[in-house]
Amino acid sequence: MKQLKIRQYVSMLSLIGLFSIICPSFAQDSAPKIAYVSLERILSESKMAKDAQAKMQTEFGAREKDVRDGISKIKAQAAQLDKDAAVLPEAERIRKQRELADSDREIQRKQRELIEDTQRRGAEERAKIFEKANQVLKTIVEQKKLDLVVQEAAFVSPRVDITNEVIAALNSK
């Protein structure tokens, strides 16, 4: 038992000695290279992101206008009904209120569908941008031989921020 502990102790000392000889050469050869990239800036400033935004605007612009017009129309009808409620027969007033409520539910349904569709489509476009940005980032990491790339930080020095390089590389493709 005592002999086993002595053997382990000697083995540890030899490993420590070996590391003390090897490790200083590793430490001197390369300090870790760290970089930062802002995904928010890539999503707002890259040509690919701007193209995706324009594409979504053309795809959903007409539906957005339709929903906005429908909301305005319902508001105008509600204001008119409020104004005319005193002079309308009760059956007519109730019928118009029901029609207005039906129209309101329909426009709300269209609005929910539009929001869901734009969110889904936006997520698809962001995924494409992220995929392309990751490919570009991987290339930059290999070129610069970076050890770590951080996406969120409390403070970032401009000398480690490679966001502009990623955006430039994305825009050139």
Side-chain angles (χ1 to χ4, degrees):
M1 179 85 162
K2 210 174 199 183
Q3 193 176 23
L4 183 63
K5 286 187 178 182
I6 292 172
R7 242 187 244 159
Q8 288 175 340
Y9 182 71
V10 170
S11 296
M12 293 253 292
L13 283 177
S14 15
L15 281 174
I16 291 172
L18 183 62
F19 282 131
S20 66
I21 294 169
I22 295 173
C23 287
S25 64
F26 282 131
Q28 291 171 359
D29 287 345
S30 64
K33 292 183 178 181
I34 299 172
Y36 168 80
V37 66
S38 170
L39 293 178
E40 292 82 24
R41 281 190 48 214
I42 290 171
L43 283 174
S44 64
E45 296 176 16
S46 69
K47 182 182 181 308
M48 195 174 181
K50 290 176 183 175
D51 290 347
Q53 183 65 33
K55 189 166 135 183
M56 286 190 54
Q57 182 60 39
T58 58
E59 186 175 336
F60 295 108
R63 283 177 61 189
E64 286 176 8
K65 185 181 180 315
D66 184 41
V67 167
R68 277 193 311 271
D69 292 347
I71 290 170
S72 298
K73 183 179 174 185
I74 289 172
K75 285 181 181 179
Q77 288 174 346
Q80 186 65 39
L81 182 61
D82 285 343
K83 207 189 301 183
D84 296 343
V87 294
L88 284 176
E90 188 165 339
E92 181 72 16
R93 182 181 50 81
I94 291 172
R95 184 185 62 76
K96 286 192 176 198
Q97 284 175 336
R98 284 186 185 150
E99 287 175 359
L100 190 60
D102 289 344
S103 297
D104 187 47
R105 276 192 296 277
E106 180 65 21
I107 202 69
Q108 286 179 7
R109 182 189 60 77
K110 284 182 180 181
Q111 189 174 27
R112 278 191 307 273
E113 287 176 355
L114 176 64
I115 290 169
E116 290 170 1
D117 290 348
T118 55
Q119 287 175 342
R120 179 187 44 78
R121 198 67 180 86
E124 290 172 1
E125 290 298 324
R126 282 189 302 277
K128 287 179 189 176
I129 295 167
F130 285 149
E131 182 180 327
K132 199 70 143 167
N134 281 332
Q135 291 172 353
V136 166
L137 184 60
K138 188 175 181 180
T139 304
I140 291 172
V141 165
E142 290 170 355
Q143 288 172 350
K144 291 187 166 209
K145 297 181 180 164
L146 297 171
D147 297 315
L148 175 68
V149 177
V150 180
Q151 293 178 353
E152 291 184 24
F155 171 77
V156 177
S157 171
R159 64 186 169 87
V160 296
D161 189 351
I162 60 170
T163 306
N164 290 336
E165 292 175 54
V166 174
I167 291 172
L170 270 175
N171 291 346
S172 68
K173 288 191 174 191

